[in-house]
Amino acid sequence: MTIESPPRAWVEVNTEAIAHNLDVVRQALPDTALMPVVKAGAYGHGLEPVARRLDADGIAFFGVANAGEARRLSRAGVRTKPFILGPTFPEEREEIVLNNWCATISTLEEAEHFNRLATLYDKTFLVHLAVDTGMGREGFLPQQLSEVVSPIQNMPHLMVDGVMSHFPSADEDVPFTQNEIGQFTECVEWLQQHFRLRYRHIAASAGELGYEVPIANLARPGLLLYGVAPMASVYDGLLRPTLRLYSRVAVVRELPAGHGVAYGRTYITDKPTRVATIGIGYADGWPRSLSGKGARVYINGHYCPMLGRVTMDQIMADVTHVPFVSPGDEVELIGPHIPVTEVAEKADTIVWTIFTGLGPRLPRVYHSVK
Ligand SMILES: *Cc1c(COP(=O)(O)O)cnc(C)c1O
C-alpha cells in the first residue's frame, strides 16, 4: 500500500479563465494575430497545460524564452510554432533551425549563423528582424538598418518573415511610447521595401491596451492572459483571475505578550496572541519581502495579519480574532479575497515576479471553470 499525503501548499489554475482572457485581447484587437506569451512556465501557471488549452485557439505563435521551453511545447504535442522572444544563444540555434522554431536576429553574426545552419540542413529558416526602438536589450538600431539589408538579402537560406520591437515604458511614459510607435512605423515602412514582412509586432500587454499601432498586425500578450492589466483601460473588469494560491494551517498556538515571532524577532506580541503556523514560505515563492509590510492571509472567512518575517517553509499569522481555526484549515494567499496585485504591491515588486516566483514545490491543480 502506498500513501500520499496532501501538499502543504498548492496552486490552482483555471485554464478556461486564461482562454477567456485571450478572447478579451482578441476582441480588443480584432484584426491582429496573437502570440500568447507562455514563457517561464506560462508565468507560473504551467507551460504544457496552458499551451495545450490555447493551442487550437487560432493563434500565430507561442512566445517562449528559450529553446528548452520550445522543446517542451513540441514534446507536449503542441502544434503552434514557438517564437523565441529574446536573443538566442549560439548553442541553441541548431535545434531551433532543425525544428523550424521562430527566432529573432539582432546582429549580422546571428543572421550568418542561422543561414549557415539552414544551408547545412538545406532549408529556408524564417526569422524576425528585431529593431531596438528604446528597450536596449536586442535588435538592430534604426540607423543600422540600411547597412544590414543587403547582407541579409544575400543569405540564401534565411528569410526575414517579420519585424519586431518591444516597448520599454508603455505603462510609464506615454509620450516616449507614442514617439517610439512613430519610429517603429518608419522602420517597418522602410524595411517593407526590401522584405515581405508577414508579421509586424511591438506590443506586450501594456502596449496592447494603451496604444494604437496601425502598422502592427501581431500582438504578444503575457500578463493580460493571466488576468492582470498593467495599466488602466476600458477592458478593466473583463479579465478573469487565473490562479489561486493556498496553504494550510499546521499548528495553532497561544503566545504570551512580549513573545517574538520568526527570525530577527521583528514582531513582538503586545498581548496574548493566538498564532497559526502555515505551511508555505519563501522557498515556495511567497516573497520574503512581504515581511513586516502588513501582508495578510485569509482563513475561515477572516483576514489575518502575517506576523514577523517569512521563513523558508512557514509563515505565521495572527488568528486571535478567528473563532475556529484548527490544523489542516485552508489558508488563501492569492485568490478571491487577496488579489495578486495586493501581494505584489505589499512585497514592493511587480505581479510578474509573484507569478513567475511560484516555485516547483507547489503542485499545480487544474480546473476549467467557464
Ligand atoms: C515577456 C514578453 C512579452 C509579454 O509581456 P507582458 O508584459 O507580460 O505582456 C512580450 N514580448 C516580449 C519580447 C517579452 O519578452
Side-chain angles (χ1 to χ4, degrees):
M1 187 172 85
T2 56
I3 294 181
E4 257 190 45
S5 318
R8 293 181 169 200
W10 66 98
V11 169
E12 293 183 5
V13 174
N14 183 359
T15 48
E16 277 317 307
I18 301 174
H20 164 90
N21 295 336
L22 179 62
D23 272 341
V24 171
V25 178
R26 185 178 285 122
Q27 279 158 28
L29 305 168
D31 299 319
T32 304
L34 294 172
M35 182 196 304
V37 175
V38 295
K39 63 189 176 186
Y43 291 39
H45 292 63
L47 181 62
E48 289 86 353
V50 171
R52 280 201 199 100
R53 175 60 189 87
L54 304 182
D55 196 22
D57 269 6
I59 55 176
F61 300 97
F62 275 125
V64 297
N66 57 37
E69 289 178 338
R71 190 187 318 129
R72 280 175 59 186
L73 289 181
S74 91
R75 288 195 181 155
V78 168
R79 296 278 191 75
T80 306
K81 206 188 239 260
F83 185 103
I84 308 205
L85 289 161
T88 54
F89 280 66
E91 297 81 0
E92 294 176 316
R93 291 187 198 132
E94 187 166 5
E95 185 182 7
I96 291 170
V97 170
L98 254 175
N99 289 285
N100 302 311
W101 297 331
C102 204
T104 64
I105 49 169
S106 291
T107 64
L108 283 180
E109 290 71 32
E110 291 171 334
E112 278 156 8
H113 192 192
F114 276 125
N115 183 54
R116 269 202 311 283
L117 290 163
T119 309
L120 188 66
Y121 290 105
D122 195 24
K123 49 169 73 188
T124 302
F125 183 64
L126 306 185
V127 293
H128 289 210
L129 202 145
V131 183
D132 183 358
T133 53
M135 180 67 184
R137 191 167 69 176
E138 65 169 330
F140 296 98
L141 296 169
Q143 60 268 30
Q144 290 178 309
L145 293 177
S146 60
E147 300 154 27
V148 300
V149 164
S150 81
I152 292 174
Q153 281 175 325
N154 288 323
M155 297 179 191
H157 288 260
L158 204 67
M159 188 170 123
V160 176
D161 195 38
V163 57
M164 65 133 7
S165 186
H166 188 54
F167 292 129
S169 336
D171 51 355
E172 290 171 301
D173 191 339
V174 173
F176 180 87
T177 305
Q178 263 151 0
N179 185 55
E180 196 181 355
I181 291 169
Q183 221 190 2
F184 179 68
T185 305
E186 273 176 38
C187 291
V188 175
E189 281 170 349
W190 191 80
L191 285 168
Q192 271 173 330
Q193 298 169 22
H194 307 277
F195 301 107
R196 214 191 123 256
L197 300 169
R198 195 153 52 114
Y199 291 109
R200 303 161 312 261
H201 48 120
I202 186 166
S205 295
E208 280 146 31
L209 296 179
Y211 304 86
E212 299 268 324
V213 190
I215 197 115
N217 66 352
L218 174 67
R220 308 186 302 259
L223 195 67
L224 281 176
L225 302 181
Y226 308 105
V228 181
M231 58 197 289
S233 77
V234 291
Y235 306 106
D236 288 353
L238 296 178
L239 298 172
R240 288 175 61 191
T242 55
L243 174 149
R244 297 177 180 187
L245 174 62
Y246 290 103
S247 183
R248 283 182 223 278
V249 173
V251 66
V252 183
R253 301 164 61 251
E254 308 282 341
L255 294 183
H259 199 93
V261 179
Y263 294 116
R265 302 175 65 252
T266 55
Y267 184 84
I268 307 282
T269 54
D270 56 3
K271 55 179 180 345
T273 304
R274 205 138 48 97
V275 176
T277 301
I278 298 159
I280 190 167
Y282 62 74
D284 300 291
W286 189 245
R288 187 172 178 275
S289 57
L290 282 173
S291 309
K293 295 279 179 52
R296 53 193 191 161
V297 299
Y298 192 79
I299 309 175
N300 296 351
H302 297 265
Y303 285 102
C304 304
M306 212 178 72
L307 302 178
R309 289 186 184 154
V310 175
T311 75
M312 189 186 287
D313 313 307
Q314 283 135 116
I315 56 173
M316 275 67 82
D318 185 346
V319 293
T320 312
H321 59 298
V322 185
F324 304 99
V325 193
S326 347
D329 285 356
E330 223 168 77
V331 179
E332 176 188 324
L333 297 116
I334 297 172
H337 306 96
I338 304 181
V340 64
T341 45
E342 171 182 320
V343 177
E345 200 175 303
K346 293 218 160 116
D348 223 346
T349 185
I350 53 176
V351 172
W352 289 264
T353 71
I354 303 295
F355 277 149
T356 59
L358 296 171
R361 195 163 68 178
L362 299 167
R364 269 62 170 178
V365 182
Y366 291 92
H367 304 292
S368 44
V369 185
K370 294 246 186 206

